[in-house]
Amino acid sequence: PGRPPSSASLLCMAQSSGPSGEAPAFTVAFQGEKGAYSEAAIFQLLGREAVRPVSFPSFDEAFAAASSRRTDLLMVPIENSLGGTIH
């Protein structure tokens, strides 16, 4: 329920420190293999310190992981510069 957090909110959460002084680790689902553009987008948005990308072979599996809360967040493209919109 409610609005999803903005990218600025996510960035603030990723940069905040937990009680032990360590940055919290967010698991972030994405479709593709390590090194995919979606993984690069995760690092660009949230940095490398507070995230653990989790790859999935399909968009359906990535969405299912986030929906069932097996991951904290989901990063998926909405447009492909070569092929247009993602359906």
Side-chain angles (χ1 to χ4, degrees):
R3 278 181 33 196
S6 68
S7 59
S9 297
L10 292 173
L11 191 56
C12 289
M13 288 189 291
Q15 292 174 342
S16 66
S17 295
S20 65
E22 296 179 15
F26 290 99
T27 54
V28 186
F30 71 98
Q31 185 278 326
E33 298 182 4
K34 285 203 164 287
Y37 288 117
S38 291
E39 185 183 43
I42 291 167
F43 292 137
Q44 184 174 359
L45 177 65
L46 298 173
R48 291 184 173 269
E49 302 301 317
V51 297
R52 184 173 58 86
V54 181
S55 65
F56 289 90
S58 71
F59 288 111
D60 287 342
E61 290 174 82
F63 274 95
S67 295
S68 66
R69 298 186 181 208
R70 288 182 286 148
T71 61
D72 300 309
L73 303 169
L74 172 68
M75 175 68 74
V76 292
I78 57 170
E79 190 170 274
N80 180 317
S81 61
L82 298 176
T85 59
I86 305 289
H87 297 286

